[in-house]
Amino acid sequence: TYSATNRQANMDLLDNGVLYVAKFNENGTGEWISLIGGQGALGQMTQAEVLINTRIAGDLVGATKMDRPEDIEWNPVNRKLYALMNNNTNRTAAQVDAVNPRSNNRFGHVIEIAENGDDPAALGFTWSIFMLCGNPADPSHGTFFAGFDPGLVSGISCPDNLTFDKRGNMWIATDGQPGTIQRNDGVYAVPTEGPDRGFVRQFLSVPVGAEVCGPEFTPENSTFFSAVQHPGEGGT
């Protein structure tokens, strides 16, 4: 178990344990499937092979193939998980499913997950689409912002990194907006609860050619940090 006051005790947290992979069902439920070499569909794989070829192992046990997950973070206020799908232009119409609902998904989306019984160790969960990204002014993008009026939100694409403030608001850093909605990448703030749930607003923009990552707050939320990668890339 993680200890906030004993760093040494945390140094070997991942040396032992069981790795799980998610299966998202069409009805809004899901399950965590263990990846244990030598068992069930993984009967021909050793545990070392499972940990090296994890995506193959996930396929064998029926894990859901997702649209390029970039970050998964826990909201300390509502205790839900949020998973950012950056994009997947290779998904065809025949491969669309409930949790990855768009073919040629250039804009990405955000999934909200609640563990059964509010227990992080639960083997089941429920899920819903929190956000379908894109430019809300373009009906062809098929955007959705947790039910909030799309005419009031900032357009957002290719969600990449995520953090939460002390009130449970989501802060999303993007990577890929210039090629999808023709805007510089930036950081966006999004409430997850209350009447403003889904109200996406841009907080900052990075220079042309840059992506932004690593959004973090100091514990008291007095200072916000973000990292600007490769400004001017591809230019002169």
Side-chain angles (χ1 to χ4, degrees):
T1 302
Y2 170 77
S3 172
T5 59
N6 188 345
R7 183 174 184 271
Q8 190 61 39
N10 300 327
M11 296 300 286
D12 60 357
L13 282 179
L14 299 181
D15 286 2
N16 297 283
V18 178
L19 180 65
Y20 291 82
V21 66
K23 179 181 179 181
F24 292 86
N25 300 318
E26 297 288 305
N27 65 357
T29 65
E31 57 187 297
W32 296 108
I33 304 171
S34 61
L35 297 182
I36 301 177
Q39 293 187 10
L42 306 180
Q44 302 302 311
M45 297 181 72
T46 67
Q47 190 61 34
E49 289 171 331
V50 167
L51 297 178
I52 292 171
N53 302 297
T54 308
R55 286 187 291 179
I56 293 174
D59 289 348
L60 289 173
V61 300
T64 305
K65 297 182 179 182
M66 307 300 291
D67 283 351
R68 190 178 157 187
E70 284 279 358
D71 201 359
I72 302 171
E73 299 289 345
W74 182 73
N75 186 326
V77 177
N78 68 15
R79 299 178 62 83
K80 294 179 181 179
L81 289 165
Y82 292 82
L84 305 186
M85 304 296 123
N86 186 272
N87 68 68
N88 180 11
T89 57
N90 292 324
R91 186 176 291 273
T92 67
Q95 296 169 330
V96 164
D97 55 34
V99 75
N100 301 280
R102 295 190 289 191
S103 61
N104 187 29
N105 182 9
R106 296 191 299 133
F107 311 110
H109 59 289
V110 180
I111 302 164
E112 184 177 66
I113 300 170
E115 301 279 16
N116 288 353
D118 197 23
D119 178 7
L123 297 181
F125 57 87
T126 57
W127 65 267
S128 62
I129 299 294
F130 181 78
M131 196 156 66
L132 294 173
C133 299
N135 182 358
D138 188 332
S140 70
H141 290 190
T143 56
F144 172 75
F145 302 96
F148 198 84
D149 183 352
L152 301 177
V153 308
S154 299
I156 182 174
S157 181
C158 302
D160 200 60
N161 296 127
L162 174 63
T163 194
F164 292 93
D165 60 30
K166 293 196 299 182
R167 295 182 176 180
N169 296 306
M170 179 188 303
W171 296 72
I172 298 174
T174 69
D175 174 19
Q177 291 193 151
T180 55
I181 60 172
Q182 292 72 56
R183 300 179 185 177
N184 291 2
D185 282 308
V187 173
Y188 296 77
V190 193
T192 58
E193 301 289 339
D196 283 345
R197 173 177 159 90
F199 188 6
V200 182
R201 281 168 283 188
Q202 186 167 6
F203 175 70
L204 64 82
S205 173
V206 294
V208 170
E211 66 171 285
V212 61
C213 68
E216 292 289 347
F217 286 95
T218 53
E220 73 283 1
N221 280 192
S222 64
T223 304
F224 175 80
F225 293 90
S226 62
V228 179
Q229 295 190 28
H230 52 75
E233 183 179 56
T236 55

